[in-house]
Amino acid sequence: MSILKEKTVAASKTEVSHLLCNKDMNGAGRLFGGQLLMWIDEVAGIVAKRHCECNVTTASIDNLQFKEACYLNDVIVLIGYITHVGHSSMEIRIDTYVEKSNGQRFPVNRAFFVMVALDENDRPTEVPRLIISSIEEQAKWDAAEKRIELRKTRREEGF
Ligand SMILES: CC(C)(COP(=O)(O)OP(=O)(O)OC[C@H]1O[C@@H](n2cnc3c(N)ncnc32)[C@H](O)[C@@H]1OP(=O)(O)O)[C@@H](O)C(=O)NCCC(=O)NCCS
């Protein structure tokens, strides 16, 4: 009988910062959206791998918005953490901020990724249970359950 591990949200929480350089900008002198997506995907992958301790793949991405323009020499901060686990899937939330020279942070984007844990045959495999340690984490779990239902409906409707 296999005993499935349990892990906290804090155990896989990840924060990454990037200093915006010329190679990160688009022709209009702002952060290139594709670069941000790559960084967000990377953080989601790190959080998921830290939780399940195996290979993962991205099944879906929800919500990319660009609420604040980001310019050369700004610092971009990405904070990712797990909100929900299913059988083989994990929902990861990634908040992105732009940090100005005075240290003030402004929200740029909030994304929800569904990452799936893969076994040695590249097939979905069961992930550790998530220990919910606070009312806030419970609220995030409950909100994730609603999004999971929405995603199922959208898939059924070919969205
Ligand atoms: C994601 C993938 C592994 C799912 O494989 P599958 O054969 O459909 O497996 P399942 O039906 O058992 O789904 C596995 C889990 O993923 C979830 N899932 C599958 N497709 C999903 C989607 N489009 N959106 C959200 N969740 C999804 C299922 O709900 C299930 O969750 P659960 O185990 O927690 O209940 C498979 O579709 C795949 O490999 N896709 C390509 C992913 C990829 O290459 N990403 C890199 C970016 S290009």
Side-chain angles (χ1 to χ4, degrees), residues 36-120:
L36 179 61
L37 177 56
M38 197 190 91
W39 285 334
I40 296 173
D41 195 20
E42 204 168 64
V43 172
I46 293 169
V47 173
K49 268 176 89 84
R50 283 179 169 162
H51 184 76
C52 68
E53 300 174 16
C54 62
N55 279 339
V56 297
T57 192
T58 308
S60 76
I61 304 173
D62 285 341
N63 289 353
L64 280 180
Q65 300 173 42
F66 299 98
K67 294 182 183 171
E68 193 76 30
C70 310
Y71 299 100
L72 200 64
N73 276 331
D74 281 343
V75 174
I76 297 295
V77 182
L78 300 108
I79 301 172
Y81 55 89
I82 188 161
T83 54
H84 188 277
V85 295
H87 175 72
S88 65
S89 67
M90 297 156 278
E91 188 191 70
I92 317 289
R93 170 171 157 173
I94 298 107
D95 291 309
T96 304
Y97 302 91
V98 57
E99 188 179 288
K100 298 295 176 184
S101 302
N102 63 3
Q104 255 194 306
R105 289 181 179 182
F106 299 91
V108 173
N109 184 64
R110 175 173 299 164
F112 293 95
F113 277 56
V114 177
M115 309 296 293
V116 177
L118 300 173
D119 65 14
E120 57 282 1

Side-chain angles (χ1 to χ4, degrees), residues 128-139:
R129 301 299 85 205
L130 188 63
I131 299 168
I132 297 294
S133 315
S134 66
I135 294 170
E136 289 76 19
E137 286 177 10
Q138 184 63 53

